[in-house]
Amino acid sequence: MIDKLEYFIALARQQHFGRAADECGVTQPTLSAGIRQLEEQLGVMLVQRGSRFLGLTPEGQRVLEWARRIVGDTRTMREEMRAARTGLAGHIRIAAIPTALAMVRKLTEPFQKRHPDVTFTVLSRNSLQVLSMLEDLEIDAGITYLDNEPLGRVTSVPLYSERYHLISASGSPLADRETVTWKEVAEIKLCLLTPDMQNRRIINLHMSEVGVTPKLMLESNSMIVLFSHIRTGQCASIMPRNVAESFGFPEEIRMIPITEPHAEHSVGLVAAHREPHTPLVSALLHEARARAAARDFDRNLLSSDGSSILT
């Protein structure tokens, strides 16, 4: 039954029988037969079929909710029994928003010192993808914004707050200022993350609050692309201070706080709302709470509003 539910979850995620079979490591006939047997056992049709996958039936949508719950609980039980036998070990999958990627090591590094037999996969995803992957059991935890858009039913631990700065090469427009306003920033050429990123939606929101829109020269879903253009001096960007500091520019780069309005948004660790969590997720949540309590994620970000120079 568990294997069949795993097949069903994979099919709902991939929306293609062949890709779902590849994900599960079985042949397509095996996966199709397993789902048909699941339908027979439950007495309902779960999948709309034609020459290809056409979607889930209403009954299939309801079974999908139960399947995620049952498979999640089964994984928790297995991990708990393994931890009881051998201690904490295994693999943790994390998806993080791009602006939080530089901060992930401040969680994983101390965690691995405590639990050296645990390994990690860290993926860059936008905030909607983080929540979707969490729901679909594709990841164990995510790092995303906590207070701007709805999170749904999750367990969350606040880690740090983002405060927004104009990041600009020395000599560029506004680079000699101690602070700038959102209106002033809208008057210069900017390179920003793409609109599918919540960071960009936050920037658009704060600009709309003062009646302006950004003057875009370039947009990208890659932080590296943004930084490479900032260094040319042809455009500036808006991003949290901790992100800019993590790159360590070889030349002087100005980081100037943006005011009017002052903007601050909470970023944290999220996990599926389930009790009990797997031993690995429980330990990760415990580590996150300890890090947050110690305010160890970004002391400069949390305590300083001044501009600074990276060299």
Side-chain angles (χ1 to χ4, degrees), residues 38-76:
L38 183 62
E39 290 176 323
E40 291 170 4
Q41 287 175 295
L42 297 176
V44 294
M45 293 293 293
L46 303 177
V47 179
Q48 298 177 16
R49 295 178 178 85
S51 58
R52 54 188 174 83
F53 177 84
L54 299 177
L56 301 182
T57 65
E59 294 82 1
Q61 291 288 354
R62 185 68 182 123
V63 169
L64 180 61
E65 296 176 19
W66 278 102
R68 288 168 174 160
R69 210 175 306 172
I70 293 167
V71 170
D73 287 345
T74 301
R75 291 179 182 178
T76 300

Side-chain angles (χ1 to χ4, degrees), residues 162-168 178 180 182 185 203 236-242 244-245 254-259 262-263 300-301 304-308:
E162 282 191 349
R163 296 176 182 175
Y164 299 93
H165 288 62
L166 176 68
I167 312 299
S168 179
E178 293 302 314
V180 292
W182 288 93
V185 170
I203 290 170
S237 191
I238 301 169
M239 57 186 64
R241 174 174 174 166
N242 67 304
E245 288 179 332
R254 293 281 297 173
M255 297 192 301
I256 307 161
I258 304 175
T259 61
H262 171 77
N300 288 332
L301 179 68
S304 173
D305 286 317
S307 64
S308 65

Side-chain angles (χ1 to χ4, degrees), residues 226-246:
L226 299 187
F227 279 122
S228 67
H229 282 79
I230 293 169
R231 290 171 59 181
T232 68
Q234 295 180 9
C235 64
S237 191
I238 301 169
M239 57 186 64
R241 174 174 174 166
N242 67 304
V243 176
E245 288 179 332
S246 70

Side-chain angles (χ1 to χ4, degrees), residues 98 124 192-194 197 218-228 247:
S124 176
L192 301 172
L193 288 171
T194 49
M197 300 292 177
L218 175 143
E219 58 185 9
S220 174
N221 63 359
S222 167
M223 300 300 296
I224 293 176
V225 170
L226 299 187
F227 279 122
S228 67
F247 273 78

Side-chain angles (χ1 to χ4, degrees), residues 54-110:
L54 299 177
L56 301 182
T57 65
E59 294 82 1
Q61 291 288 354
R62 185 68 182 123
V63 169
L64 180 61
E65 296 176 19
W66 278 102
R68 288 168 174 160
R69 210 175 306 172
I70 293 167
V71 170
D73 287 345
T74 301
R75 291 179 182 178
T76 300
M77 178 184 67
R78 288 172 176 165
E79 285 195 23
E80 191 167 315
M81 293 305 100
R82 181 177 63 188
R85 293 193 314 270
T86 63
L88 199 63
H91 190 74
I92 298 177
R93 303 159 300 169
I94 297 175
I97 54 174
T99 59
L101 289 172
M103 309 303 293
V104 175
R105 66 174 181 82
K106 295 191 177 182
L107 182 61
T108 58
E109 188 175 20

Side-chain angles (χ1 to χ4, degrees), residues 3 32 63 95 97 100 110 121 126 132-133 153 160 170 179 185-186 189 248 264 287:
D3 287 344
S32 297
V63 169
I97 54 174
T121 292
N126 66 41
S132 176
M133 293 175 76
R153 190 171 168 80
Y160 63 92
S170 296
T179 63
V185 170
K189 292 181 179 179
E264 185 172 337
E287 187 70 42

